[in-house]
Amino acid sequence: AAILLTAAGCGKSGQAPAAATPPPAMKPAPPTPIDTKRAEIGGPMWDPEWDKIVELALPPELLSAQAGRDVRPFCPRFDAMDKADKRAFWAYFFQALAGAEAGLKPASEVRHSGDPAMAVKDEVTGVHGRTEGLLQLAYEDSKRYGCDFNWEADRTLKVNDPARTILQPKNNLECGVKILRQELIDQHKPLLSRTEYWSTLQPGTASYRMFGKQMANVPVACGRRAGSKAPAREPPTQQELISASR
């Protein structure tokens, strides 16, 4: 009887753990023009592992019809695509953004001393006008968007030390996804706007034109004609559309 009780007890406490959630279906993104050029002449290139970082970080909202409306200028068939192709589009988008913002260099650091709009004080570091990493982010984004940057751990390291949390591609790219989600989904901003976080997504600027050039090779599934130009201005607001229909 004792043996039977012991066996029953072992069976009860030794339940099999719940099966791990399988990773979502993913596809690699094609190279942007800058990445293709770097392959020919040398220089920093996009790491295919960064595609996975972006694709795994994407929330369901960025695969929805709401996101589809925003990306239509770059990916007309977004709504009709399967989720793997949608993830590949976003991986390409962030590759293009990193190309325009930082030349695909993870340790890139820019001081915006000549631009009053950008030379603002970082609430975390106290430094004015400094952005860093693949997507040119700031430490105060850890407070605003919940990004995994640790200024206390980084403050004693050299500016270009790849060990700094803000320069680590995973942290930087995941932060970019959080920023974009908040702007597109929570704040209902258009993807291209004069108030976008990144100047590269503000139509009419030199940096936007640079970003537009990098969006020339979006995944084939997007159904966009090769060599199509990025929209020259931000899309009309809902109020503008209503007024135009009157």
Side-chain angles (χ1 to χ4, degrees):
I3 294 174
L4 289 175
L5 285 172
T6 302
C10 289
K12 189 173 182 179
S13 62
Q15 293 178 350
T21 304
M26 295 184 287
K27 292 183 178 179
T32 51
I34 187 175
D35 198 49
T36 300
K37 190 67 176 177
R38 293 278 173 77
E40 297 173 358
I41 65 174
M45 293 179 64
W46 180 260
D47 187 335
E49 289 297 313
W50 299 343
D51 286 344
K52 297 179 183 178
I53 291 172
V54 171
E55 295 186 39
L56 287 172
L58 293 170
E61 295 88 345
L62 289 183
L63 306 179
S64 69
Q66 184 176 348
R69 290 192 296 271
D70 284 299
V71 305
R72 194 167 294 134
F74 301 111
C75 191
R77 294 192 67 254
F78 186 87
D79 287 338
M81 287 157 47
D82 62 31
K83 289 184 177 180
D85 283 322
K86 289 179 179 180
R87 292 188 182 95
F89 165 76
W90 282 120
Y92 182 89
F93 172 89
F94 279 101
Q95 181 188 159
L97 193 60
E101 286 283 340
L104 302 180
K105 294 179 285 189
S108 176
E109 182 255 355
V110 176
R111 290 183 180 269
H112 304 273
S113 56
D115 184 353
M118 294 292 294
V120 295
K121 183 179 179 180
D122 188 306
E123 295 176 2
V124 173
T125 66
V127 177
H128 286 77
R130 186 165 78 189
T131 54
E132 305 179 68
L134 283 170
L135 301 180
Q136 290 300 287
L137 307 180
Y139 278 95
E140 66 180 5
D141 294 330
S142 62
K143 296 177 65 175
R144 292 182 178 180
Y145 305 101
C147 300
D148 196 14
F149 303 152
N150 188 334
W151 171 240
E152 290 305 314
D154 294 351
R155 64 190 308 166
T156 59
L157 302 176
K158 292 182 178 180
V159 171
N160 62 349
D161 190 329
R164 292 175 64 221
T165 56
I166 198 170
L167 299 183
Q168 293 173 26
K170 184 176 187 295
N171 294 342
N172 208 272
L173 292 169
E174 286 179 348
C175 183
V177 172
K178 290 178 180 180
I179 293 171
L180 196 69
R181 183 206 174 280
Q182 185 169 129
E183 294 202 323
L184 296 189
I185 306 302
D186 297 343
Q187 298 177 7
H188 302 285
K189 283 186 178 182
L191 180 66
L192 306 177
S193 164
R194 286 183 290 269
T195 60
E196 255 294 343
Y197 178 98
W198 292 280
S199 63
T200 40
L201 299 182
Q202 297 173 12
T205 64
S207 54
Y208 172 71
R209 289 190 290 274
M210 186 182 302
F211 169 75
K213 290 178 181 179
Q214 297 310 312
M215 290 297 288
N217 192 33
V218 295
V220 173
C222 283
R224 185 168 177 238
R225 184 166 54 85
S228 298
K229 292 184 178 180
R233 63 180 295 272
E234 62 189 272
T237 64
Q238 187 66 29
Q239 187 59 46
E240 288 173 336
L241 290 173
I242 294 173
S243 299
S245 65
R246 289 174 179 169

